[in-house]
Amino acid sequence: MEITFYGHASLSLAIENTTVLVDPFITGNPNAKAIDITTLKADYILLTHAHQDHILDVEAIAKRTGATIVSNYEIATYYEQKGFKAHPMNHGGKWNFDFGTVKYVNAIHTSSFPDGTYGGQPGGFVISAQNKSVYIAGDTALTYDMKLIPLEYDLNLAILPIGDNFTMGVEDAVLASDFVQCDKVLGYHFDTFGYIEISHEDAITKFNAKGKTLSLLAIGESITV
Ligand code: NI
Ligand code: MN
């Protein structure tokens, strides 16, 4: 699968002919001005939680593409009531979609919509397709629950927040990559706002010191797993 970074926590996974978009927050990100959401493809939109910096562009993209929104029960129901297609999940649950399998896993964070509506409990996703598995942590603290993931999955990539303040910082993300037993990490949720600006060089050095690889993609750049 090919994974494209759209800034902040926004990603796109191209799996054969299916496009899985994750946490689209593009029009509100001054660093992502080069990305035009009216041209983005989406068959599915996966949402880790309801915070604005993860859902801002969901409705515009889902309306145009007819994509199915996949998230926890509360978020899925919220969009279903607005007339969107949605697939509700909850923690520990797995579903076989046409592109692969998705498991909704635990995250330690909060999850309210911008208007204060309850957004259920936040999560992350493990996506398995084409014999590859990718963990998208979502906004989360370092948590021992991450140790459950390698009991079931042999991960090819861990996508971890590294911006600190609202989520794990770099040091905890290094430990998280131990917990999930995956030395190949894509960092996200950094640099978008003042609270989460980080030194890229320092982050890469800290991962390298433990024999791990941290990729930091430019907005619009892709990696293949
Ligand atoms: Ni958040
Ligand atoms: Mn966030």
Side-chain angles (χ1 to χ4, degrees):
M1 59 181 105
E2 191 184 48
I3 301 174
T4 305
F5 180 57
Y6 288 125
H8 198 53
S10 307
L11 303 161
S12 172
L13 285 67
I15 304 167
E16 284 177 24
N17 295 321
T18 303
T19 304
V20 179
L21 202 61
V22 182
D23 287 356
F25 171 77
I26 295 156
T27 58
N29 181 355
N31 302 327
K33 284 215 158 61
I35 308 299
D36 177 6
I37 65 159
T38 66
T39 62
L40 289 185
K41 286 201 249 172
D43 298 293
Y44 294 89
I45 303 175
L46 272 53
L47 301 175
T48 60
H49 65 296
H51 285 161
Q52 186 169 44
D53 61 314
H54 298 257
I55 61 143
L56 183 69
D57 297 318
V58 169
E59 294 192 14
I61 296 169
K63 199 172 285 174
R64 179 177 54 77
T65 59
T68 300
I69 295 161
V70 180
S71 192
N72 68 28
Y73 177 78
E74 289 77 8
I75 294 173
T77 304
Y78 174 92
Y79 285 112
E80 218 162 39
Q81 284 169 354
K82 289 184 160 213
F84 294 98
K85 267 189 279 175
H87 178 109
M89 298 187 74
N90 224 325
H91 301 86
K94 219 165 27 181
W95 186 259
N96 296 318
F97 292 90
D98 52 8
F99 62 87
T101 302
V102 174
K103 185 169 187 175
Y104 192 60
V105 297
N106 294 350
I108 303 287
H109 194 67
T110 56
S111 177
S112 47
F113 281 93
D115 67 0
T117 302
Y118 177 57
Q121 296 295 310
F125 295 101
V126 181
I127 299 170
S128 293
Q130 302 171 310
N131 292 316
K132 307 278 180 174
S133 294
V134 173
Y135 170 46
I136 300 172
D139 285 10
T140 184
L142 178 67
T143 163
Y144 260 49
D145 287 341
M146 290 168 178
K147 293 192 173 199
L148 298 172
I149 291 169
L151 299 180
E152 185 177 0
Y153 296 99
D154 189 4
L155 295 179
N156 300 92
L157 181 71
I159 303 176
L160 305 175
I162 56 170
D164 223 326
N165 191 73
F166 297 116
T167 67
M168 295 188 282
V170 171
E171 291 84 357
D172 282 355
V174 169
L175 292 172
S177 79
D178 283 338
F179 284 10
V180 299
Q181 295 178 22
C182 180
D183 289 336
K184 201 164 173 274
V185 173
L186 173 64
Y188 79 163
H189 211 276
F190 62 94
D191 282 2
T192 320
F193 331 108
Y195 290 122
I196 61 173
E197 272 170 25
I198 63 159
S199 157
H200 297 198
E201 201 184 299
D202 174 67
I204 288 165
T205 303
K206 282 178 172 143
F207 275 87
N208 286 349
K210 300 288 180 183
K212 300 171 188 292
T213 313
L214 175 70
S215 302
L216 300 177
L217 298 179
I219 294 175
E221 201 180 348
S222 304
I223 48 167
T224 302
V225 174

